[in-house]
Amino acid sequence: MEKSTSYIQFLKFCLNDNLPVPTCIKDINWHDLLIFGMKQAISGLYAPTILMKDGKLTSKEDFMGNKPTDDDVMEWVFEDYRLRKINKTMFERTEKASEWFLENGFRNCILKGQGNAILYPDPMLRSSGDIDIWLEGGQEKILSFTKKYYDKEYNRLHVDFPMFRDASVEVHFRPSSMINPWMNKKMWKYFDEVADEQFSHKVTSPDGKYTFYMPTNYFNLFYQLDHIFRHLVIGGVGLRQIIDYYYLLRKRVADGADAAADKELIATLKRFKMLKFAKAVMYVLHEELGLDKKYLYTEPNEKEGKFLLDEMLKAGNFGHYEERLKEIEKKESKLYRFLLVQKFNLRLLSHYPSEAMWMPYLSLKAALSRSESIHDH
């Protein structure tokens, strides 16, 4: 955890201008930092600073006697190149997917992904995942169409649609969900109410090369918070999603923060019992990652923020490095594994009871149903 603390301090420096070079730089192992960055899917945030491309480090003296070796530099150069190559492909495929579904009668918008990337200082350095595309029309209509091409298993949020060899596509019936079934029903109704505005919000990448639809920033401030929240509850979330939120908040102010829209956002978060979690995210972004308080729409919560950061450092991107769950998966008995998972989920009960108490229900439902999964993305 001590190494992780240094990596977070250095990340804070990389994210923000006008901060002094942190003393932790003299002890960082640059190869280990790369491994950490890849596990958290944030290596592209470190790369420009380490390669001295952003003006934060301007001479070898800035490294306090710990300048990266030639081998270190080559690793980071390759990572920079890898991310740029992947993002070029993902932007091309994102635009193509959006156009193709429009041509086939489905208004759509891109969830997260390249929509988030265009908010970064360098859109080509965000770590990419799948193309998540939300289509208008509802589950029955969408599945009727996608089955003409690929008859894939689906869950309550999306169906895989392998239209490209070099990019995974998830076709969404709805953006997200909650564990609590009553809250989930209300959330899906909310998505229906605001869908038209999301399918009408056209954007262009900063270089002018790519055009597609993505949700409005205020919708993203709600939806992506729920996305982070849900992954925390079902098995783990990493720093990439928090950094995405960092740039959503900066855009909110750059666009001119709307007091009425802020008030509506907070009311929506209260309605879905997510305001406490929003305060946890505010703490991580402000206290740990240096985001100025002017960008926050609610006060930070230190206790919840520290709990969230600890969970993210343990779990990595989408919980892929969650060792606590990996140990449980080694157990032979399905019933024993189920009970251990429920015990693991108890750590959330005092923080977010509205969701945590429903985890056994969803786990059982997932085991019994083809179309449900606790690992919906």
Side-chain angles (χ1 to χ4, degrees), residues 70-308:
D70 289 345
D71 287 343
D72 291 329
V73 170
M74 283 307 299
E75 280 194 322
W76 282 96
V77 166
F78 179 77
E79 179 65 2
D80 183 279
Y81 171 80
R82 184 185 73 86
L83 291 171
R84 292 183 185 281
K85 184 177 180 181
I86 291 172
N87 271 293
K88 182 177 183 296
T89 298
M90 294 302 287
F91 270 116
E92 291 171 353
R93 300 295 178 258
T94 294
E95 182 179 61
K96 183 66 177 177
S98 181
E99 289 176 349
W100 189 81
F101 280 110
L102 274 173
E103 289 168 1
N104 282 277
F106 290 92
R107 289 201 300 169
N108 61 78
C109 63
I110 301 300
L111 302 171
K112 304 181 274 78
Q114 302 313 110
N116 280 340
I118 65 174
L119 304 182
Y120 279 51
D122 188 336
M124 307 307 282
L125 288 179
R126 180 185 182 271
S127 293
S128 298
D130 301 327
I131 296 173
D132 295 277
I133 184 166
W134 177 21
L135 304 190
E136 185 178 36
Q139 181 171 318
E140 185 176 343
K141 179 181 177 181
I142 292 167
L143 285 176
S144 177
F145 174 77
T146 59
K147 283 179 179 179
K148 296 176 185 177
Y149 299 90
Y150 309 103
D151 190 8
K152 295 288 186 179
E153 289 192 4
Y154 58 92
N155 58 44
R156 60 182 180 165
L157 291 186
H158 63 77
V159 61
D160 291 333
F161 195 73
M163 61 190 298
F164 305 118
R165 288 181 298 176
D166 52 5
S168 298
V169 177
E170 291 183 352
V171 172
H172 279 250
F173 322 124
R174 49 189 68 91
S176 191
S177 63
M178 300 195 81
I179 309 300
N180 182 324
W182 312 112
M183 286 292 181
N184 189 56
K185 187 176 180 180
K186 287 169 62 177
M187 177 172 282
W188 288 356
K189 182 179 179 182
Y190 168 74
F191 289 150
D192 289 341
E193 291 169 354
V194 300
D196 183 68
E197 187 178 9
Q198 315 317 315
F199 296 131
S200 307
H201 186 233
K202 197 171 187 178
V203 297
T204 302
S205 60
D207 59 10
K209 292 182 179 178
Y210 310 104
T211 300
F212 48 88
Y213 293 84
M214 66 176 283
T216 64
N217 201 63
Y218 268 98
F219 178 85
N220 269 332
L221 286 169
F222 169 75
Y223 151 63
Q224 293 195 35
L225 188 77
D226 173 65
H227 184 256
I228 300 168
F229 184 40
R230 182 161 50 84
H231 278 285
L232 171 70
V233 173
I234 67 173
V237 69
L239 286 166
R240 180 182 63 177
Q241 289 69 39
I242 291 291
I243 301 301
D244 285 346
Y245 211 78
Y246 175 100
Y247 287 114
L248 289 173
L249 288 171
R250 291 185 67 96
K251 178 170 174 54
R252 166 181 158 272
V253 171
D255 289 347
D258 185 325
D262 285 349
K263 185 177 180 180
E264 183 177 346
L265 173 62
I266 289 172
T268 305
L269 293 174
K270 285 180 178 178
R271 177 183 171 193
F272 292 104
K273 300 187 185 302
M274 287 169 50
L275 186 58
K276 184 165 74 167
F277 183 69
K279 292 174 182 287
V281 172
M282 298 299 120
Y283 174 85
V284 174
L285 291 174
H286 176 60
E287 296 292 342
E288 302 292 342
L289 298 180
L291 184 64
D292 193 284
K293 242 185 171 180
K294 70 181 181 181
Y295 295 106
L296 311 185
Y297 57 74
T298 188
E299 288 296 313
N301 182 311
E302 180 178 1
K303 177 186 173 183
E304 296 303 327
K306 287 183 175 179
F307 172 76
L308 173 60

Side-chain angles (χ1 to χ4, degrees), residues 338-354:
F338 176 82
L339 293 173
L340 287 176
V341 168
Q342 304 319 312
K343 181 180 178 182
F344 174 71
N345 290 335
L346 286 176
R347 80 198 191 285
L348 296 164
L349 196 59
S350 64
H351 299 275
Y352 307 108
S354 177

